Structure formats: C-alpha cells, structure tokens
Amino acid sequence: MRNDRVQIKVIVITALVVWLLSLAVFGVLALKVGTAAIILLFLYGLWNLVIFSAAYLAVSRKVSNVMKQVDYCIQSMIDGCPVRQFSEMEDSLPGKFQHQLIKLYQILNSSQEREMKLWKEMGSLVADLVHQINTPLTNIQIYSGFLMQEGLVKEEREKVYKIINHQIEKLGWFGDGFNKMAQLEDDIRKLEPKHQPVLPMVLSAIDEISVKAEARGDEIVFSGEQDAEAFYDSKWTEEAVFNLLDNAVKYGQEGSSILVQITSYELFVRIDVINYGTLIPKEEYPAIFNRYYRGKNAACVKEGVGLGLYLSWQVAAGQGGYIKVGEYQGKGNIFSIFLVKNITD
C-alpha cells in the first residue's frame, strides 16, 4: 500500500500547506483591516472547513477505491476465476493481502480436488469389489439350487458341496484382499518408514510362508547381504515381500527351490524373489501390477483375486521405491522390490 500511503500523505500535506498560506494571508488582512478582524476570522474558519472537508473526501475516495478492488479480488476467487487487482511486485499491503488470498485459494482448491479424487477412488474400489464378488455369489446361488433337486446322488451332492465351499473361499479371498487394500489406501499417506536393517523383515516374511512352502515340498533358499539397511515401513514392506513369496509358492514348480536374495546398491536395496516354473509372458509385464489383474497362465494354474502384486507395488511406490518383474535364466520368474537406502528431501 506504499503508493496509496504516498497519495494520502500528499493530500494531507497539500491541505496543511494551503491552510498555513491561508493563515498567513488572513493574518495580514486582519492587521490591515482592524475593525473587520472578526469577519475575517469567520471567513478563515469557513475556509479551513472547506480545505479539510476536501482533504477528507479525497482520502475517503481513495480508501473506498482500494476496498472496492479488494472486494472484486475476493469475489473473483469465490467465482473460481481469481483476478489480480494489485501489483505483487510492489511492497504494498493490498499486494501482500492479495498474494495471501491467492495462496489460500490454491490450497483450498487443491484440497477439494484431492477430496474428489479420493471419493472417485473409493467409488472405483466399491465398484470393483461388487464386480468381483458377483460371479461367486451367482455360482453359490446356482449350485444351492442343485442341492434342492430330488434324486441327487451322494457323489453329485458332495461335488456340489465342494464347488460351493470353493466359491465361499473365493469370497473370503476377496474380502481379505479388499480389506488389506482399503487399509493400504488409507495408510499409504501414513506410512512410517525409518532407517533399519532389511534382513529381519525378510526373514519374518519367509517364516510366514514357510509352512505353505513345506506343504508343497518347496525349499526357500536365502542369500545376499545380511547387513543391508534401507528406509522403509516394516509392517507393510513385510506384507509386500510375503505377497511375492506367496505368488512364488502358488505358481512355481512344485518341489522346487524359491530363491530370496538381498543386494545393496548405492541408492537402493534390492530384494529378489525367484521361482522356477511357467514363465510370465513379457507382454503382460506392464499390466501385472494392476489391481485385479491376473495373467492367463496364473488363471489356468491357481485361483486368485489379483490383489497381491497390486498391494506390493503400492507399498513400494508409497515409500519412494519401486517393483519390477523379469525372466530368470529362462527357467522362472524374478520379482524385485527396490527400497531407498536413505530418506530424500
């Protein structure tokens, strides 16, 4: 408001100079006239009133114009099309006030867009879940109707029971996967990564999958740098590594080895999970981490819901890392999680 203050100061100083000159003129006239001094003093007082009234009106008009500009600036932001009324290059109070208002507008607008995005994502999650559970629910309804038929032999009835139980298990997978995904969508902004050793987290994930691996005759072989440290959230990263191990057990060759390796680089720590078995087609690599995506080979071999790799990708990306898939020596597949070694500003 420096320019406005200067203009107001000029108005006040001009009024003061005119008043002083007028005082001198009326003083000289009063000395010369003598008997008419009272009339001159009256005229002098009237002239003072005119001078200061004019100064007041000028200052008031200037303040009113500034307030109108402020009002227009605020109204333009309310309408969603902010208009700058004051130069932000000048060191003035209206300019600073306008700058702060525009910053506040941008913050509020960003928050609104983020909220709309979250609502759309939640709607998408619900729509995906409804779509995915529709098939097993329909199958349960159909096969439950078969059980009501008369003359159904024991073998057929047991077969229908198995199909229904399998569909119920599938619903359980969907529920568990959706619950984890919803938690991750909520917690992804609350991940608490810290600098810590990688080995304990990896061994914990291996312990969790070991019973399932032994039941299939698989052997989990660990190698690599045991003293590697990285910046990560232990809870969710263990979940991500477990998902990769679970995939290796489900889709790998039964009775084979599953390799787990830790490698430390300058910027990242790499965790590899390698299984022998059917190769994932390279054309599926770009889509394999999408939510609910299941490759053709995977769909033929085992039942699943296509959430494990998506969750692993979300965890890695949510703390500055990434995940990738590739072919291992032409005999299997390798999934690699990259964790940042140090926090970056």
Side-chain angles (χ1 to χ4, degrees):
M1 200 174 180
R2 178 172 294 177
N3 290 341
D4 301 318
R5 287 201 299 266
V6 170
Q7 292 180 19
I8 293 173
K9 188 181 293 184
V10 168
I11 293 172
V12 173
I13 292 175
T14 301
L16 181 61
V17 170
V18 172
W19 178 75
L20 290 173
L21 291 175
S22 301
L23 177 62
V25 171
F26 279 102
V28 171
L29 291 176
L31 291 174
K32 290 182 177 181
V33 176
T35 55
I38 296 176
I39 297 175
L40 289 174
L41 288 174
F42 173 75
L43 292 175
Y44 174 70
L46 185 61
W47 178 245
N48 284 339
L49 180 62
V50 172
I51 292 174
F52 287 103
S53 295
Y56 169 78
L57 291 174
V59 172
S60 177
R61 186 178 294 109
K62 182 61 182 176
V63 172
S64 178
N65 288 337
V66 171
M67 294 307 297
K68 285 180 180 179
Q69 288 178 291
V70 171
D71 177 70
Y72 184 78
C73 180
I74 295 175
Q75 186 60 48
S76 69
M77 293 180 190
I78 294 174
D79 295 337
C81 300
V83 177
R84 289 172 168 81
Q85 291 292 309
F86 306 98
S87 174
E88 296 182 3
M89 302 299 294
E90 300 177 358
D91 184 20
S92 63
L93 285 177
K96 292 179 179 178
F97 181 60
Q98 175 184 259
H99 178 69
Q100 295 298 326
L101 278 177
I102 290 177
K103 285 181 63 178
L104 179 60
Y105 169 82
Q106 292 172 343
I107 292 172
L108 293 176
N109 195 48
S110 176
S111 299
Q112 185 178 15
E113 291 177 356
R114 186 164 56 252
E115 184 176 352
M116 290 297 296
K117 182 180 178 181
L118 290 174
W119 274 107
K120 288 180 180 179
E121 288 178 354
M122 182 57 67
S124 175
L125 286 176
V126 173
D128 285 342
L129 179 65
V130 172
H131 174 74
Q132 293 294 327
I133 67 176
N134 185 55
T135 299
L137 284 176
T138 302
N139 289 337
I140 290 173
Q141 184 179 25
I142 292 173
Y143 285 102
S144 295
F146 289 160
L147 293 176
M148 301 296 295
Q149 296 179 1
E150 295 182 1
L152 198 66
V153 298
K154 181 180 179 181
E155 291 78 10
E156 292 176 338
R157 190 177 298 277
E158 289 178 350
K159 183 178 179 181
V160 172
Y161 275 132
K162 288 181 179 179
I163 293 174
I164 291 176
N165 285 332
H166 180 69
Q167 296 302 311
I168 292 174
E169 287 179 1
K170 194 171 184 180
L171 286 176
W173 298 337
F174 279 126
D176 182 60
F178 184 79
N179 181 53
K180 288 182 179 179
M181 185 169 57
Q183 288 180 20
L184 180 59
E185 296 285 349
D186 182 54
D187 290 353
I188 200 70
R189 291 170 297 279
K190 296 184 289 185
L191 285 170
E192 298 179 351
K194 62 181 180 180
H195 195 263
Q196 56 189 317
V198 174
L199 182 62
M201 177 270 297
V202 173
L203 292 180
S204 180
I206 292 175
D207 287 342
E208 191 174 353
I209 199 65
S210 60
V211 174
K212 189 173 182 180
E214 289 174 2
R216 282 175 45 93
D218 297 336
E219 179 185 10
I220 299 178
V221 180
F222 172 81
S223 64
E225 303 178 38
Q226 300 188 17
D227 59 348
E229 295 186 352
F231 190 79
Y232 67 97
D233 181 289
S234 181
K235 168 194 169 186
W236 279 111
T237 309
E238 180 183 328
E239 180 72 26
V241 174
F242 171 79
N243 288 337
L244 299 187
L245 289 168
D246 188 50
N247 267 25
V249 171
K250 285 195 298 186
Y251 305 117
Q253 181 180 335
E254 191 168 349
S256 63
S257 296
I258 296 173
L259 310 180
V260 180
Q261 301 174 345
I262 298 177
T263 307
S264 181
Y265 299 111
E266 182 179 356
L267 299 178
F268 292 93
V269 171
R270 173 175 175 169
I271 304 170
D272 295 323
V273 176
I274 304 165
N275 72 299
Y276 296 97
T278 305
L279 300 180
I280 299 172
K282 291 184 178 180
E283 59 269 20
E284 293 185 3
Y285 286 177
I288 200 167
F289 298 107
N290 291 344
R291 185 169 58 204
Y292 295 122
Y293 179 83
R294 301 196 71 229
K296 296 178 181 179
N297 292 338
C300 293
V301 177
K302 292 286 183 180
E303 287 284 358
V305 295
L307 287 176
L309 293 179
Y310 169 77
L311 288 170
S312 296
W313 178 83
Q314 285 281 74
V315 170
Q319 48 195 0
Y322 63 99
I323 184 171
K324 70 176 186 178
V325 60
E327 180 182 313
Y328 183 72
Q329 298 180 353
K331 300 177 181 179
N333 305 294
I334 176 172
F335 286 86
S336 304
I337 292 182
F338 291 79
L339 306 175
V340 294
K341 293 187 72 171
N342 297 292
I343 186 172
T344 55
D345 296 329

